[in-house]
Amino acid sequence: MDCARLNLTLAFVALAGVVSGALANTSLPLREAAWLSESGLAEALSSEPAFDRAALLDGAAQTSLALQYQSPAALRRDLLAGEMVFRAPLLLGGQAAKAGLTCHSCHVNGRGNPAFQFPAISGADGTADTTHSFFSETLGNDIFDPATIPDLTQNGKIDHDPASRDLERFIATIVIGEFSGESVTEETLRPLTTFVRALRLVPPDDTSLRTPRTLASDLQTARIALSEAEHRIAIGQTQLAQLLVSSAQERLRSIHARLSSDVHEAEQEWLASQSAVLTGARHILAQPGGEQSLASAKLESARMAINKAEQFDWNEALSLYNPTVLADQLGQ
């Protein structure tokens, strides 16, 4: 066995052991717990760096990004789609997607993630070896060299000028080379790079602020992703639509995992049924010549159902959205 495949095998073994150990030790069904450090677990699961979506959307219209678009509405749509793709496991593909990793996992709301601690991939907390064979057999360099996960709201090494297209090439290399994802089309790169550029152009006023993870926020994210997916189907952007559906499913999965089967059985069954509808839509979109109108109808059905989700008595206080319940599960 060559070094690259040996490293890959060891990473699989380490991942399986740490994931099962993390879930066994914490009694948490949250798969993101498997790539968060013990010391940062409670904070990372209960809150996130503050993210003002409205401020980002409004602020971006006052920046150079507006020059790349025919209208503020077009810019707004790409910003929303870009954010949702940033949260889609399907984008990265390969082992990262199977583990549930997204761009957001490392760059939470565009910031870094000081609690990131992926087995066999991280060194110190908040680092990752992106040239590890676990993620990429093509770029694996057989050297354990984890680097600090950067804050995307701050200046970095990559030129963000749209004229250079350095950011487009860099993101494509990350997806295809570092994470073994599929080739990224221009229809996907444009909103994703627009969102990343906006993060730097419209940085948060106070980078120390954090906001609670809430069920309402997760439902809103799922609704936005589905609305944008319907729009992208209508204009023939099927790859982007699939990624947006993946993003919505990830939010529904996260909600399902934070609920208690003892208290929220009906809600979990409802979430599972909506996710099944979305899986059906994704399968249609993945087929060449698939019946796009049927996929769109499925997405509309799920989105309308989510719009009415407030009718449920979610008992959020009894879920892992409640920091007290979460701390109790963590034994803190």
Side-chain angles (χ1 to χ4, degrees):
M1 181 181 294
D2 60 37
C3 290
R5 292 200 173 275
L6 176 59
N7 285 343
L8 184 60
T9 301
L10 292 175
F12 270 117
V13 173
L15 175 63
V18 174
V19 169
S20 61
L23 297 183
N25 291 336
T26 65
S27 300
L28 291 177
L30 307 179
R31 60 182 178 180
E32 56 263 44
W35 64 72
L36 294 169
S37 65
E38 184 176 353
S39 60
L41 188 60
E43 181 180 57
L45 292 176
S46 62
S47 66
E48 294 182 336
F51 178 71
D52 190 334
R53 183 179 289 125
L56 184 74
L57 295 175
D58 293 340
Q62 310 304 317
T63 71
S64 58
L65 285 175
L67 300 176
Q68 309 301 316
Y69 287 86
Q70 293 182 339
S71 69
L75 171 58
R76 181 183 182 89
R77 295 215 82 122
D78 265 9
L79 283 169
L80 288 173
E83 181 201 339
M84 298 305 134
V85 171
F86 197 78
R87 299 171 179 266
L90 186 61
L91 174 68
L92 299 182
Q95 300 307 319
K98 290 178 181 179
L101 284 173
T102 68
C103 300
H104 177 82
S105 301
C106 291
H107 308 279
V108 183
N109 288 337
R111 308 297 306 286
N113 186 353
F116 190 82
Q117 182 53 243
F118 198 97
I121 303 299
S122 297
D125 293 352
T127 68
D129 178 3
T130 56
T131 55
H132 197 290
S133 298
F134 177 72
F135 289 134
S136 172
E137 292 188 59
T138 59
L139 291 186
N141 62 5
D142 295 325
I143 301 172
F144 185 59
D145 50 358
T148 300
I149 296 170
D151 181 341
L152 300 184
T153 69
Q154 306 300 311
N155 289 332
K157 299 178 181 179
I158 305 302
D159 183 4
H160 277 209
D161 184 351
S164 74
R165 292 191 62 83
D166 284 356
L167 184 59
E168 282 79 359
R169 285 188 288 270
F170 179 69
I171 288 179
T173 297
I174 290 174
V175 172
I176 301 169
E178 292 185 5
F179 289 102
S180 303
E182 295 184 1
S183 178
V184 186
T185 63
E186 184 64 26
E187 71 189 40
T188 296
L189 271 178
R190 182 175 173 88
L192 185 54
T193 53
T194 294
F195 175 68
V196 173
R197 287 185 172 110
L199 290 172
R200 185 183 293 183
L201 293 172
V202 191
D205 293 330
D206 187 343
T207 58
S208 67
L209 293 178
R210 296 184 68 87
T211 55
R213 277 289 301 272
T214 66
L215 184 146
S217 176
D218 280 347
L219 285 172
Q220 181 185 36
T221 296
R223 283 196 296 267
I224 292 172
L226 292 180
S227 177
E228 289 305 309
E230 290 174 63
H231 172 69
R232 301 299 167 162
I233 291 174
I235 60 177
Q237 296 181 345
T238 55
Q239 184 194 71
L240 181 52
Q242 290 179 68
L243 291 168
L244 291 166
V245 177
S246 168
S247 183
Q249 284 190 291
E250 177 63 15
R251 288 301 90 194
L252 297 185
R253 182 211 60 78
S254 181
I255 295 170
H256 188 286
R258 285 174 177 265
L259 301 182
S260 166
S261 57
D262 294 333
V263 179
H264 305 102
E265 182 179 1
E267 289 81 359
Q268 287 183 321
E269 289 181 357
W270 176 82
L271 287 163
S273 68
Q274 298 310 315
S275 184
V277 171
L278 299 185
T279 296
R282 277 179 55 189
H283 285 166
I284 294 172
L285 291 171
Q287 298 171 6
E291 193 174 345
Q292 307 299 300
S293 60
L294 178 57
S296 187
K298 288 179 177 291
L299 298 188
E300 182 181 16
S301 171
R303 179 174 55 81
M304 295 300 292
I306 293 171
N307 283 342
K308 299 177 182 179
E310 287 78 6
Q311 67 185 323
F312 287 125
D313 182 9
W314 288 96
N315 289 310
E316 191 171 354
L318 300 178
S319 75
L320 293 177
Y321 284 105
N322 183 340
T324 302
V325 175
L326 178 63
D328 181 62
Q329 288 290 308
L330 292 173
Q332 299 180 355

